[in-house]
Amino acid sequence: MDTLSGSEDAYKALVDNAPEGWLLGLLAFAVLEQERIEWMRHVETRSGCLPTSEQVCNWYEQQPVSALNRARSTAEGVLNGYSEDVSRSIDESYRASIRDGVVVAEIRSSNRFWPKFVANVAAGVVGAAIFSVLLVLIVLVAVRDPSPFGLIKHAQEVQSER
């Protein structure tokens, strides 16, 4: 597009036909419109009234292609700066949440030595008791022959003693 005749042409050139994406195009359009508004205020302060629609149209027509490129560059710089700020903010908040969440929780949990110690000792005592009971049962089963032949032999011995 060689010349612009109004804000509609600027919108088409910067937003609709933007290869970079609509967000960058919208921001570039806002930059160009800000320049137009500053020009209009300048005309108003010098002449005492706002420029006519014909003067605004002439302003658009006088804008070179480099004005659109400059608006895109400005918008790109603003978006890059904003994305860096957001990225830095997210990174800092993520680091702070890790620092405050994980590290502080670990330090606080290390202060609870005695409750953990008592729970571990109690678990050890219960485990040893269960093992002892199982060991006694195994010994009783091994010493007493509970097989059918052993039971018959034991029954015959009891009857013979009578």
Side-chain angles (χ1 to χ4, degrees), residues 23-24 27 73-91:
L23 182 61
L24 184 62
L27 196 53
S73 296
T74 302
E76 189 173 354
V78 168
L79 280 179
N80 286 338
Y82 180 73
S83 68
E84 288 172 5
D85 290 345
V86 168
S87 177
R88 190 177 316 110
S89 171
I90 289 172
D91 187 43

Side-chain angles (χ1 to χ4, degrees), residues 105-154:
E106 189 61 33
I107 291 171
R108 287 181 182 156
S109 70
S110 70
N111 292 337
R112 299 181 187 138
F113 171 76
W114 290 109
K116 288 181 180 178
F117 178 76
V118 170
N120 288 334
V121 168
V125 168
V126 168
I130 291 172
F131 179 73
S132 299
V133 167
L134 288 175
L135 192 60
V136 167
L137 288 175
I138 290 173
V139 167
L140 287 177
V141 168
V143 170
R144 298 182 75 207
D145 189 13
S147 66
F149 295 112
L151 290 175
I152 292 172
K153 190 177 182 182
H154 179 67

Side-chain angles (χ1 to χ4, degrees), residues 59-82:
W59 181 85
Y60 276 111
E61 289 173 355
Q62 292 174 2
Q63 297 303 308
V65 175
S66 63
L68 298 178
N69 293 335
R70 192 172 44 252
R72 281 189 189 104
S73 296
T74 302
E76 189 173 354
V78 168
L79 280 179
N80 286 338
Y82 180 73

Side-chain angles (χ1 to χ4, degrees), residues 6-64:
S7 62
E8 296 85 10
D9 289 341
Y11 184 85
K12 285 178 187 175
L14 293 171
V15 180
D16 289 340
N17 300 331
E20 305 91 4
W22 64 271
L23 182 61
L24 184 62
L26 281 175
L27 196 53
F29 178 71
V31 169
L32 185 67
E33 288 300 298
Q34 180 182 11
E35 290 177 9
R36 178 186 58 85
I37 290 171
E38 287 175 1
W39 170 78
M40 290 176 68
R41 287 183 182 154
H42 175 72
V43 169
E44 181 182 26
T45 56
R46 291 189 68 203
S47 66
C49 63
L50 286 171
T52 64
S53 59
E54 184 178 312
Q55 288 174 319
V56 172
C57 185
N58 286 338
W59 181 85
Y60 276 111
E61 289 173 355
Q62 292 174 2
Q63 297 303 308

